Amino acid sequence: MYYFLSMLSLSDLGLSLSSLPTMLRVFLFDAPAISADACFAQEFFIHGFTVLESSVLLIMSFDRFLAIHNPLRYSSILTTVRVSQIGIIFSFKSILLVLPFPFTLKSLRYCKKSQLSHSYCLHQDVMKLACSDNRIDVIYGFFGAVCLMVDFMLIAVSYVLILKTVLGIASQKEQLKALNTCVSHICAVVIFYLPIINLAVVHRFARHVSPLVNVLMANVLLLVPPLMNPIVYCVKTRQIRVRLVAKLCHS
């Protein structure tokens, strides 16, 4: 579990470091300009770490299922080597999935200087500024969104299996104890996917809303998960909480 938490922390840090520089330039110095190459690089890292976080949440859901369904074999199945292999595989998956984004955007023709909708670069936002045919970007962007939704559906399936396993436990006390181990992960899933779904719904069905709503929701999408995940896991995980307090007291 701690290996997976470190992966989640890495993806959160990546999201923050990818988006905060341009956000700070816009809000503190009123400097919204960004070069095309910097914009393409930023959207690659933002989407890459977003896909990585979705993958890590998926892995953690199966980790929770395995810990509840087969606790006696948990440590023998999820060995350190196997966890490392899983992390490497999903990292490569995240890179390969978003690798075409900057190249397809760079191949488009942009007629004049335009204004982005958000304080950072997103694939779906940049491709709308193109004057040339962007059908490939639309199709591949939709494919990337489908991959995120597949992760979400698999997480939902894993929790159905977890619930089925928990209901098979005779003692109600043991049922609550088993479900309590999933609370932190459920909170992380809600914090991550809820802004994504809300932003997609607003873009698709509520185009008449104020642009400020889109900007606010897009900022929430990238700023809230890195802020809330450490708080959630520190509150719910005693070992992390004790070590953190010890470090702070020592300092």
PDB file of all heavy atoms in Angstrom, residues 69-107:
ATOM      1  N   HIS A  69     -10.142  -9.736   0.075  1.00  0.00           N
ATOM      2  CA  HIS A  69     -10.610 -11.034  -0.430  1.00  0.00           C
ATOM      3  C   HIS A  69      -9.663 -12.171  -0.057  1.00  0.00           C
ATOM      4  O   HIS A  69     -10.122 -13.281   0.244  1.00  0.00           O
ATOM      5  CB  HIS A  69     -10.759 -10.961  -1.947  1.00  0.00           C
ATOM      6  CG  HIS A  69     -11.255 -12.240  -2.564  1.00  0.00           C
ATOM      7  ND1 HIS A  69     -12.553 -12.667  -2.412  1.00  0.00           N
ATOM      8  CD2 HIS A  69     -10.617 -13.178  -3.328  1.00  0.00           C
ATOM      9  CE1 HIS A  69     -12.710 -13.815  -3.052  1.00  0.00           C
ATOM     10  NE2 HIS A  69     -11.548 -14.147  -3.612  1.00  0.00           N
ATOM     11  N   ASN A  70      -8.359 -11.906  -0.080  1.00  0.00           N
ATOM     12  CA  ASN A  70      -7.392 -12.976   0.178  1.00  0.00           C
ATOM     13  C   ASN A  70      -6.250 -12.434   1.028  1.00  0.00           C
ATOM     14  O   ASN A  70      -5.101 -12.344   0.572  1.00  0.00           O
ATOM     15  CB  ASN A  70      -6.854 -13.512  -1.158  1.00  0.00           C
ATOM     16  CG  ASN A  70      -6.361 -14.939  -1.040  1.00  0.00           C
ATOM     17  OD1 ASN A  70      -6.119 -15.425   0.066  1.00  0.00           O
ATOM     18  ND2 ASN A  70      -6.207 -15.611  -2.163  1.00  0.00           N
ATOM     19  N   PRO A  71      -6.516 -12.069   2.280  1.00  0.00           N
ATOM     20  CA  PRO A  71      -5.488 -11.409   3.100  1.00  0.00           C
ATOM     21  C   PRO A  71      -4.288 -12.294   3.421  1.00  0.00           C
ATOM     22  O   PRO A  71      -3.179 -11.778   3.579  1.00  0.00           O
ATOM     23  CB  PRO A  71      -6.252 -11.033   4.377  1.00  0.00           C
ATOM     24  CG  PRO A  71      -7.420 -11.967   4.414  1.00  0.00           C
ATOM     25  CD  PRO A  71      -7.787 -12.229   2.991  1.00  0.00           C
ATOM     26  N   LEU A  72      -4.486 -13.606   3.505  1.00  0.00           N
ATOM     27  CA  LEU A  72      -3.381 -14.500   3.871  1.00  0.00           C
ATOM     28  C   LEU A  72      -2.326 -14.591   2.773  1.00  0.00           C
ATOM     29  O   LEU A  72      -1.154 -14.837   3.053  1.00  0.00           O
ATOM     30  CB  LEU A  72      -3.919 -15.898   4.196  1.00  0.00           C
ATOM     31  CG  LEU A  72      -4.865 -15.983   5.405  1.00  0.00           C
ATOM     32  CD1 LEU A  72      -5.331 -17.409   5.621  1.00  0.00           C
ATOM     33  CD2 LEU A  72      -4.164 -15.451   6.661  1.00  0.00           C
ATOM     34  N   ARG A  73      -2.740 -14.391   1.522  1.00  0.00           N
ATOM     35  CA  ARG A  73      -1.799 -14.473   0.403  1.00  0.00           C
ATOM     36  C   ARG A  73      -1.404 -13.099  -0.122  1.00  0.00           C
ATOM     37  O   ARG A  73      -0.712 -12.989  -1.128  1.00  0.00           O
ATOM     38  CB  ARG A  73      -2.421 -15.292  -0.739  1.00  0.00           C
ATOM     39  CG  ARG A  73      -2.684 -16.763  -0.381  1.00  0.00           C
ATOM     40  CD  ARG A  73      -3.096 -17.526  -1.624  1.00  0.00           C
ATOM     41  NE  ARG A  73      -2.062 -17.445  -2.653  1.00  0.00           N
ATOM     42  CZ  ARG A  73      -2.285 -17.639  -3.956  1.00  0.00           C
ATOM     43  NH1 ARG A  73      -3.519 -17.868  -4.375  1.00  0.00           N
ATOM     44  NH2 ARG A  73      -1.308 -17.566  -4.824  1.00  0.00           N
ATOM     45  N   TYR A  74      -1.852 -12.047   0.567  1.00  0.00           N
ATOM     46  CA  TYR A  74      -1.631 -10.677   0.074  1.00  0.00           C
ATOM     47  C   TYR A  74      -0.150 -10.371  -0.131  1.00  0.00           C
ATOM     48  O   TYR A  74       0.270  -9.936  -1.200  1.00  0.00           O
ATOM     49  CB  TYR A  74      -2.256  -9.689   1.064  1.00  0.00           C
ATOM     50  CG  TYR A  74      -1.996  -8.240   0.733  1.00  0.00           C
ATOM     51  CD1 TYR A  74      -2.718  -7.589  -0.259  1.00  0.00           C
ATOM     52  CD2 TYR A  74      -1.028  -7.504   1.422  1.00  0.00           C
ATOM     53  CE1 TYR A  74      -2.491  -6.255  -0.560  1.00  0.00           C
ATOM     54  CE2 TYR A  74      -0.795  -6.178   1.127  1.00  0.00           C
ATOM     55  CZ  TYR A  74      -1.525  -5.556   0.139  1.00  0.00           C
ATOM     56  OH  TYR A  74      -1.282  -4.242  -0.160  1.00  0.00           O
ATOM     57  N   SER A  75       0.653 -10.613   0.906  1.00  0.00           N
ATOM     58  CA  SER A  75       2.080 -10.261   0.823  1.00  0.00           C
ATOM     59  C   SER A  75       2.846 -11.155  -0.140  1.00  0.00           C
ATOM     60  O   SER A  75       3.862 -10.740  -0.702  1.00  0.00           O
ATOM     61  CB  SER A  75       2.716 -10.331   2.216  1.00  0.00           C
ATOM     62  OG  SER A  75       2.536 -11.625   2.773  1.00  0.00           O
ATOM     63  N   SER A  76       2.363 -12.375  -0.350  1.00  0.00           N
ATOM     64  CA  SER A  76       3.052 -13.273  -1.284  1.00  0.00           C
ATOM     65  C   SER A  76       2.701 -12.963  -2.741  1.00  0.00           C
ATOM     66  O   SER A  76       3.494 -13.230  -3.644  1.00  0.00           O
ATOM     67  CB  SER A  76       2.704 -14.735  -0.972  1.00  0.00           C
ATOM     68  OG  SER A  76       1.311 -14.965  -1.129  1.00  0.00           O
ATOM     69  N   ILE A  77       1.510 -12.405  -2.972  1.00  0.00           N
ATOM     70  CA  ILE A  77       1.113 -12.034  -4.344  1.00  0.00           C
ATOM     71  C   ILE A  77       1.710 -10.690  -4.729  1.00  0.00           C
ATOM     72  O   ILE A  77       2.334 -10.543  -5.780  1.00  0.00           O
ATOM     73  CB  ILE A  77      -0.423 -12.000  -4.468  1.00  0.00           C
ATOM     74  CG1 ILE A  77      -1.009 -13.401  -4.261  1.00  0.00           C
ATOM     75  CG2 ILE A  77      -0.841 -11.453  -5.828  1.00  0.00           C
ATOM     76  CD1 ILE A  77      -2.522 -13.445  -4.236  1.00  0.00           C
ATOM     77  N   LEU A  78       1.531  -9.681  -3.866  1.00  0.00           N
ATOM     78  CA  LEU A  78       2.059  -8.336  -4.156  1.00  0.00           C
ATOM     79  C   LEU A  78       3.432  -8.185  -3.499  1.00  0.00           C
ATOM     80  O   LEU A  78       3.596  -7.487  -2.501  1.00  0.00           O
ATOM     81  CB  LEU A  78       1.092  -7.268  -3.651  1.00  0.00           C
ATOM     82  CG  LEU A  78      -0.146  -7.032  -4.513  1.00  0.00           C
ATOM     83  CD1 LEU A  78      -1.019  -5.944  -3.908  1.00  0.00           C
ATOM     84  CD2 LEU A  78       0.226  -6.648  -5.936  1.00  0.00           C
ATOM     85  N   THR A  79       4.419  -8.831  -4.094  1.00  0.00           N
ATOM     86  CA  THR A  79       5.786  -8.693  -3.613  1.00  0.00           C
ATOM     87  C   THR A  79       6.362  -7.355  -4.077  1.00  0.00           C
ATOM     88  O   THR A  79       5.791  -6.678  -4.939  1.00  0.00           O
ATOM     89  CB  THR A  79       6.654  -9.835  -4.145  1.00  0.00           C
ATOM     90  OG1 THR A  79       6.653  -9.783  -5.590  1.00  0.00           O
ATOM     91  CG2 THR A  79       6.105 -11.183  -3.699  1.00  0.00           C
ATOM     92  N   THR A  80       7.506  -6.986  -3.513  1.00  0.00           N
ATOM     93  CA  THR A  80       8.147  -5.724  -3.895  1.00  0.00           C
ATOM     94  C   THR A  80       8.478  -5.692  -5.381  1.00  0.00           C
ATOM     95  O   THR A  80       8.277  -4.679  -6.057  1.00  0.00           O
ATOM     96  CB  THR A  80       9.432  -5.518  -3.072  1.00  0.00           C
ATOM     97  OG1 THR A  80       9.111  -5.553  -1.681  1.00  0.00           O
ATOM     98  CG2 THR A  80      10.080  -4.191  -3.408  1.00  0.00           C
ATOM     99  N   VAL A  81       8.973  -6.820  -5.898  1.00  0.00           N
ATOM    100  CA  VAL A  81       9.325  -6.890  -7.325  1.00  0.00           C
ATOM    101  C   VAL A  81       8.081  -6.726  -8.189  1.00  0.00           C
ATOM    102  O   VAL A  81       8.082  -5.984  -9.190  1.00  0.00           O
ATOM    103  CB  VAL A  81      10.014  -8.234  -7.635  1.00  0.00           C
ATOM    104  CG1 VAL A  81      10.255  -8.385  -9.143  1.00  0.00           C
ATOM    105  CG2 VAL A  81      11.332  -8.351  -6.879  1.00  0.00           C
ATOM    106  N   ARG A  82       6.998  -7.396  -7.802  1.00  0.00           N
ATOM    107  CA  ARG A  82       5.767  -7.319  -8.599  1.00  0.00           C
ATOM    108  C   ARG A  82       5.165  -5.916  -8.568  1.00  0.00           C
ATOM    109  O   ARG A  82       4.683  -5.417  -9.586  1.00  0.00           O
ATOM    110  CB  ARG A  82       4.766  -8.343  -8.079  1.00  0.00           C
ATOM    111  CG  ARG A  82       3.576  -8.587  -9.008  1.00  0.00           C
ATOM    112  CD  ARG A  82       2.921  -9.899  -8.673  1.00  0.00           C
ATOM    113  NE  ARG A  82       3.762 -11.037  -9.021  1.00  0.00           N
ATOM    114  CZ  ARG A  82       3.584 -12.261  -8.552  1.00  0.00           C
ATOM    115  NH1 ARG A  82       2.579 -12.499  -7.709  1.00  0.00           N
ATOM    116  NH2 ARG A  82       4.381 -13.239  -8.904  1.00  0.00           N
ATOM    117  N   VAL A  83       5.213  -5.272  -7.396  1.00  0.00           N
ATOM    118  CA  VAL A  83       4.710  -3.901  -7.292  1.00  0.00           C
ATOM    119  C   VAL A  83       5.545  -2.968  -8.173  1.00  0.00           C
ATOM    120  O   VAL A  83       5.006  -2.087  -8.857  1.00  0.00           O
ATOM    121  CB  VAL A  83       4.729  -3.429  -5.828  1.00  0.00           C
ATOM    122  CG1 VAL A  83       4.473  -1.932  -5.734  1.00  0.00           C
ATOM    123  CG2 VAL A  83       3.694  -4.183  -5.012  1.00  0.00           C
ATOM    124  N   SER A  84       6.869  -3.161  -8.177  1.00  0.00           N
ATOM    125  CA  SER A  84       7.743  -2.344  -9.024  1.00  0.00           C
ATOM    126  C   SER A  84       7.422  -2.554 -10.500  1.00  0.00           C
ATOM    127  O   SER A  84       7.377  -1.591 -11.282  1.00  0.00           O
ATOM    128  CB  SER A  84       9.208  -2.684  -8.758  1.00  0.00           C
ATOM    129  OG  SER A  84       9.538  -2.493  -7.404  1.00  0.00           O
ATOM    130  N   GLN A  85       7.188  -3.803 -10.882  1.00  0.00           N
ATOM    131  CA  GLN A  85       6.834  -4.095 -12.271  1.00  0.00           C
ATOM    132  C   GLN A  85       5.511  -3.432 -12.660  1.00  0.00           C
ATOM    133  O   GLN A  85       5.394  -2.867 -13.755  1.00  0.00           O
ATOM    134  CB  GLN A  85       6.745  -5.607 -12.479  1.00  0.00           C
ATOM    135  CG  GLN A  85       8.076  -6.329 -12.385  1.00  0.00           C
ATOM    136  CD  GLN A  85       7.933  -7.847 -12.403  1.00  0.00           C
ATOM    137  OE1 GLN A  85       6.836  -8.380 -12.169  1.00  0.00           O
ATOM    138  NE2 GLN A  85       9.021  -8.550 -12.653  1.00  0.00           N
ATOM    139  N   ILE A  86       4.531  -3.504 -11.764  1.00  0.00           N
ATOM    140  CA  ILE A  86       3.234  -2.868 -12.030  1.00  0.00           C
ATOM    141  C   ILE A  86       3.408  -1.360 -12.205  1.00  0.00           C
ATOM    142  O   ILE A  86       2.851  -0.750 -13.126  1.00  0.00           O
ATOM    143  CB  ILE A  86       2.240  -3.169 -10.889  1.00  0.00           C
ATOM    144  CG1 ILE A  86       1.869  -4.652 -10.883  1.00  0.00           C
ATOM    145  CG2 ILE A  86       0.972  -2.330 -11.031  1.00  0.00           C
ATOM    146  CD1 ILE A  86       1.044  -5.072  -9.671  1.00  0.00           C
ATOM    147  N   GLY A  87       4.197  -0.740 -11.327  1.00  0.00           N
ATOM    148  CA  GLY A  87       4.430   0.692 -11.411  1.00  0.00           C
ATOM    149  C   GLY A  87       5.100   1.095 -12.716  1.00  0.00           C
ATOM    150  O   GLY A  87       4.713   2.089 -13.348  1.00  0.00           O
ATOM    151  N   ILE A  88       6.094   0.312 -13.152  1.00  0.00           N
ATOM    152  CA  ILE A  88       6.808   0.613 -14.402  1.00  0.00           C
ATOM    153  C   ILE A  88       5.881   0.452 -15.596  1.00  0.00           C
ATOM    154  O   ILE A  88       5.857   1.297 -16.508  1.00  0.00           O
ATOM    155  CB  ILE A  88       8.045  -0.298 -14.538  1.00  0.00           C
ATOM    156  CG1 ILE A  88       9.079   0.057 -13.478  1.00  0.00           C
ATOM    157  CG2 ILE A  88       8.658  -0.172 -15.934  1.00  0.00           C
ATOM    158  CD1 ILE A  88      10.240  -0.913 -13.403  1.00  0.00           C
ATOM    159  N   ILE A  89       5.081  -0.616 -15.601  1.00  0.00           N
ATOM    160  CA  ILE A  89       4.165  -0.869 -16.724  1.00  0.00           C
ATOM    161  C   ILE A  89       3.154   0.264 -16.867  1.00  0.00           C
ATOM    162  O   ILE A  89       2.924   0.785 -17.966  1.00  0.00           O
ATOM    163  CB  ILE A  89       3.448  -2.219 -16.534  1.00  0.00           C
ATOM    164  CG1 ILE A  89       4.436  -3.379 -16.730  1.00  0.00           C
ATOM    165  CG2 ILE A  89       2.284  -2.366 -17.524  1.00  0.00           C
ATOM    166  CD1 ILE A  89       3.875  -4.738 -16.361  1.00  0.00           C
ATOM    167  N   PHE A  90       2.556   0.675 -15.764  1.00  0.00           N
ATOM    168  CA  PHE A  90       1.542   1.729 -15.839  1.00  0.00           C
ATOM    169  C   PHE A  90       2.161   3.093 -16.127  1.00  0.00           C
ATOM    170  O   PHE A  90       1.512   3.951 -16.722  1.00  0.00           O
ATOM    171  CB  PHE A  90       0.718   1.763 -14.557  1.00  0.00           C
ATOM    172  CG  PHE A  90      -0.405   0.770 -14.544  1.00  0.00           C
ATOM    173  CD1 PHE A  90      -0.220  -0.517 -14.062  1.00  0.00           C
ATOM    174  CD2 PHE A  90      -1.649   1.108 -15.043  1.00  0.00           C
ATOM    175  CE1 PHE A  90      -1.254  -1.445 -14.054  1.00  0.00           C
ATOM    176  CE2 PHE A  90      -2.692   0.193 -15.045  1.00  0.00           C
ATOM    177  CZ  PHE A  90      -2.497  -1.085 -14.555  1.00  0.00           C
ATOM    178  N   SER A  91       3.420   3.304 -15.723  1.00  0.00           N
ATOM    179  CA  SER A  91       4.107   4.550 -16.072  1.00  0.00           C
ATOM    180  C   SER A  91       4.332   4.627 -17.577  1.00  0.00           C
ATOM    181  O   SER A  91       4.097   5.679 -18.203  1.00  0.00           O
ATOM    182  CB  SER A  91       5.446   4.650 -15.331  1.00  0.00           C
ATOM    183  OG  SER A  91       5.249   4.685 -13.937  1.00  0.00           O
ATOM    184  N   PHE A  92       4.789   3.518 -18.180  1.00  0.00           N
ATOM    185  CA  PHE A  92       4.966   3.480 -19.635  1.00  0.00           C
ATOM    186  C   PHE A  92       3.639   3.637 -20.359  1.00  0.00           C
ATOM    187  O   PHE A  92       3.555   4.289 -21.401  1.00  0.00           O
ATOM    188  CB  PHE A  92       5.647   2.174 -20.052  1.00  0.00           C
ATOM    189  CG  PHE A  92       7.139   2.232 -20.009  1.00  0.00           C
ATOM    190  CD1 PHE A  92       7.848   1.561 -19.031  1.00  0.00           C
ATOM    191  CD2 PHE A  92       7.853   2.983 -20.937  1.00  0.00           C
ATOM    192  CE1 PHE A  92       9.233   1.620 -18.975  1.00  0.00           C
ATOM    193  CE2 PHE A  92       9.231   3.055 -20.899  1.00  0.00           C
ATOM    194  CZ  PHE A  92       9.932   2.372 -19.910  1.00  0.00           C
ATOM    195  N   LYS A  93       2.583   3.042 -19.794  1.00  0.00           N
ATOM    196  CA  LYS A  93       1.255   3.195 -20.395  1.00  0.00           C
ATOM    197  C   LYS A  93       0.828   4.658 -20.425  1.00  0.00           C
ATOM    198  O   LYS A  93       0.294   5.155 -21.437  1.00  0.00           O
ATOM    199  CB  LYS A  93       0.242   2.369 -19.606  1.00  0.00           C
ATOM    200  CG  LYS A  93      -1.218   2.622 -20.006  1.00  0.00           C
ATOM    201  CD  LYS A  93      -2.120   2.664 -18.793  1.00  0.00           C
ATOM    202  CE  LYS A  93      -3.502   3.167 -19.110  1.00  0.00           C
ATOM    203  NZ  LYS A  93      -4.349   3.359 -17.933  1.00  0.00           N
ATOM    204  N   SER A  94       1.088   5.382 -19.324  1.00  0.00           N
ATOM    205  CA  SER A  94       0.719   6.794 -19.254  1.00  0.00           C
ATOM    206  C   SER A  94       1.494   7.617 -20.270  1.00  0.00           C
ATOM    207  O   SER A  94       0.940   8.509 -20.928  1.00  0.00           O
ATOM    208  CB  SER A  94       0.983   7.325 -17.840  1.00  0.00           C
ATOM    209  OG  SER A  94       0.291   6.559 -16.873  1.00  0.00           O
ATOM    210  N   ILE A  95       2.790   7.319 -20.416  1.00  0.00           N
ATOM    211  CA  ILE A  95       3.615   8.070 -21.368  1.00  0.00           C
ATOM    212  C   ILE A  95       3.179   7.790 -22.798  1.00  0.00           C
ATOM    213  O   ILE A  95       2.994   8.720 -23.603  1.00  0.00           O
ATOM    214  CB  ILE A  95       5.104   7.710 -21.182  1.00  0.00           C
ATOM    215  CG1 ILE A  95       5.595   8.188 -19.816  1.00  0.00           C
ATOM    216  CG2 ILE A  95       5.954   8.320 -22.295  1.00  0.00           C
ATOM    217  CD1 ILE A  95       6.986   7.723 -19.465  1.00  0.00           C
ATOM    218  N   LEU A  96       2.999   6.520 -23.131  1.00  0.00           N
ATOM    219  CA  LEU A  96       2.658   6.150 -24.507  1.00  0.00           C
ATOM    220  C   LEU A  96       1.281   6.667 -24.906  1.00  0.00           C
ATOM    221  O   LEU A  96       1.054   7.018 -26.070  1.00  0.00           O
ATOM    222  CB  LEU A  96       2.718   4.628 -24.669  1.00  0.00           C
ATOM    223  CG  LEU A  96       4.104   3.995 -24.538  1.00  0.00           C
ATOM    224  CD1 LEU A  96       4.013   2.470 -24.626  1.00  0.00           C
ATOM    225  CD2 LEU A  96       5.041   4.519 -25.624  1.00  0.00           C
ATOM    226  N   LEU A  97       0.348   6.722 -23.946  1.00  0.00           N
ATOM    227  CA  LEU A  97      -1.009   7.164 -24.272  1.00  0.00           C
ATOM    228  C   LEU A  97      -1.045   8.632 -24.676  1.00  0.00           C
ATOM    229  O   LEU A  97      -1.788   9.012 -25.592  1.00  0.00           O
ATOM    230  CB  LEU A  97      -1.936   6.921 -23.083  1.00  0.00           C
ATOM    231  CG  LEU A  97      -3.415   7.266 -23.293  1.00  0.00           C
ATOM    232  CD1 LEU A  97      -4.021   6.412 -24.403  1.00  0.00           C
ATOM    233  CD2 LEU A  97      -4.210   7.092 -22.004  1.00  0.00           C
ATOM    234  N   VAL A  98      -0.256   9.470 -24.003  1.00  0.00           N
ATOM    235  CA  VAL A  98      -0.304  10.915 -24.289  1.00  0.00           C
ATOM    236  C   VAL A  98       0.840  11.382 -25.180  1.00  0.00           C
ATOM    237  O   VAL A  98       0.882  12.565 -25.545  1.00  0.00           O
ATOM    238  CB  VAL A  98      -0.299  11.727 -22.970  1.00  0.00           C
ATOM    239  CG1 VAL A  98      -1.467  11.344 -22.091  1.00  0.00           C
ATOM    240  CG2 VAL A  98       1.009  11.547 -22.215  1.00  0.00           C
ATOM    241  N   LEU A  99       1.759  10.488 -25.536  1.00  0.00           N
ATOM    242  CA  LEU A  99       2.904  10.886 -26.360  1.00  0.00           C
ATOM    243  C   LEU A  99       2.500  11.506 -27.699  1.00  0.00           C
ATOM    244  O   LEU A  99       3.135  12.470 -28.145  1.00  0.00           O
ATOM    245  CB  LEU A  99       3.824   9.681 -26.579  1.00  0.00           C
ATOM    246  CG  LEU A  99       5.173   9.963 -27.251  1.00  0.00           C
ATOM    247  CD1 LEU A  99       5.992  10.948 -26.419  1.00  0.00           C
ATOM    248  CD2 LEU A  99       5.953   8.660 -27.449  1.00  0.00           C
ATOM    249  N   PRO A 100       1.456  11.009 -28.382  1.00  0.00           N
ATOM    250  CA  PRO A 100       1.077  11.645 -29.661  1.00  0.00           C
ATOM    251  C   PRO A 100       0.507  13.049 -29.523  1.00  0.00           C
ATOM    252  O   PRO A 100       0.497  13.803 -30.515  1.00  0.00           O
ATOM    253  CB  PRO A 100       0.013  10.680 -30.225  1.00  0.00           C
ATOM    254  CG  PRO A 100       0.220   9.391 -29.522  1.00  0.00           C
ATOM    255  CD  PRO A 100       0.692   9.769 -28.148  1.00  0.00           C
ATOM    256  N   PHE A 101       0.030  13.448 -28.355  1.00  0.00           N
ATOM    257  CA  PHE A 101      -0.647  14.735 -28.202  1.00  0.00           C
ATOM    258  C   PHE A 101       0.178  15.922 -28.707  1.00  0.00           C
ATOM    259  O   PHE A 101      -0.296  16.689 -29.549  1.00  0.00           O
ATOM    260  CB  PHE A 101      -1.051  14.948 -26.744  1.00  0.00           C
ATOM    261  CG  PHE A 101      -2.298  14.210 -26.324  1.00  0.00           C
ATOM    262  CD1 PHE A 101      -2.712  14.204 -25.006  1.00  0.00           C
ATOM    263  CD2 PHE A 101      -3.054  13.526 -27.256  1.00  0.00           C
ATOM    264  CE1 PHE A 101      -3.861  13.532 -24.624  1.00  0.00           C
ATOM    265  CE2 PHE A 101      -4.208  12.842 -26.885  1.00  0.00           C
ATOM    266  CZ  PHE A 101      -4.601  12.853 -25.565  1.00  0.00           C
ATOM    267  N   PRO A 102       1.406  16.139 -28.191  1.00  0.00           N
ATOM    268  CA  PRO A 102       2.146  17.326 -28.646  1.00  0.00           C
ATOM    269  C   PRO A 102       2.491  17.289 -30.129  1.00  0.00           C
ATOM    270  O   PRO A 102       2.541  18.339 -30.781  1.00  0.00           O
ATOM    271  CB  PRO A 102       3.411  17.321 -27.775  1.00  0.00           C
ATOM    272  CG  PRO A 102       3.506  15.960 -27.217  1.00  0.00           C
ATOM    273  CD  PRO A 102       2.133  15.411 -27.141  1.00  0.00           C
ATOM    274  N   PHE A 103       2.718  16.096 -30.688  1.00  0.00           N
ATOM    275  CA  PHE A 103       3.090  15.996 -32.105  1.00  0.00           C
ATOM    276  C   PHE A 103       1.899  16.285 -33.011  1.00  0.00           C
ATOM    277  O   PHE A 103       2.042  16.954 -34.040  1.00  0.00           O
ATOM    278  CB  PHE A 103       3.660  14.610 -32.395  1.00  0.00           C
ATOM    279  CG  PHE A 103       4.933  14.313 -31.645  1.00  0.00           C
ATOM    280  CD1 PHE A 103       4.932  13.482 -30.536  1.00  0.00           C
ATOM    281  CD2 PHE A 103       6.127  14.891 -32.040  1.00  0.00           C
ATOM    282  CE1 PHE A 103       6.089  13.219 -29.839  1.00  0.00           C
ATOM    283  CE2 PHE A 103       7.310  14.641 -31.350  1.00  0.00           C
ATOM    284  CZ  PHE A 103       7.288  13.811 -30.245  1.00  0.00           C
ATOM    285  N   THR A 104       0.714  15.780 -32.634  1.00  0.00           N
ATOM    286  CA  THR A 104      -0.468  16.065 -33.461  1.00  0.00           C
ATOM    287  C   THR A 104      -0.843  17.540 -33.372  1.00  0.00           C
ATOM    288  O   THR A 104      -1.259  18.141 -34.369  1.00  0.00           O
ATOM    289  CB  THR A 104      -1.659  15.195 -33.021  1.00  0.00           C
ATOM    290  OG1 THR A 104      -1.924  15.407 -31.619  1.00  0.00           O
ATOM    291  CG2 THR A 104      -1.378  13.723 -33.262  1.00  0.00           C
ATOM    292  N   LEU A 105      -0.679  18.145 -32.190  1.00  0.00           N
ATOM    293  CA  LEU A 105      -0.970  19.573 -32.054  1.00  0.00           C
ATOM    294  C   LEU A 105       0.033  20.419 -32.829  1.00  0.00           C
ATOM    295  O   LEU A 105      -0.327  21.440 -33.433  1.00  0.00           O
ATOM    296  CB  LEU A 105      -0.962  19.980 -30.578  1.00  0.00           C
ATOM    297  CG  LEU A 105      -2.112  19.472 -29.705  1.00  0.00           C
ATOM    298  CD1 LEU A 105      -1.909  19.904 -28.257  1.00  0.00           C
ATOM    299  CD2 LEU A 105      -3.450  19.986 -30.210  1.00  0.00           C
ATOM    300  N   LYS A 106       1.279  20.002 -32.804  1.00  0.00           N
ATOM    301  CA  LYS A 106       2.329  20.763 -33.505  1.00  0.00           C
ATOM    302  C   LYS A 106       2.128  20.713 -35.021  1.00  0.00           C
ATOM    303  O   LYS A 106       2.524  21.637 -35.739  1.00  0.00           O
ATOM    304  CB  LYS A 106       3.702  20.205 -33.141  1.00  0.00           C
ATOM    305  CG  LYS A 106       4.875  21.110 -33.497  1.00  0.00           C
ATOM    306  CD  LYS A 106       6.164  20.546 -32.981  1.00  0.00           C
ATOM    307  CE  LYS A 106       7.334  21.452 -33.345  1.00  0.00           C
ATOM    308  NZ  LYS A 106       7.256  22.764 -32.695  1.00  0.00           N
ATOM    309  N   SER A 107       1.500  19.646 -35.522  1.00  0.00           N
ATOM    310  CA  SER A 107       1.279  19.515 -36.968  1.00  0.00           C
ATOM    311  C   SER A 107       0.123  20.392 -37.467  1.00  0.00           C
ATOM    312  O   SER A 107      -0.034  20.570 -38.673  1.00  0.00           O
ATOM    313  CB  SER A 107       0.999  18.054 -37.322  1.00  0.00           C
ATOM    314  OG  SER A 107      -0.226  17.628 -36.738  1.00  0.00           O
TER     315      SER A 107
END
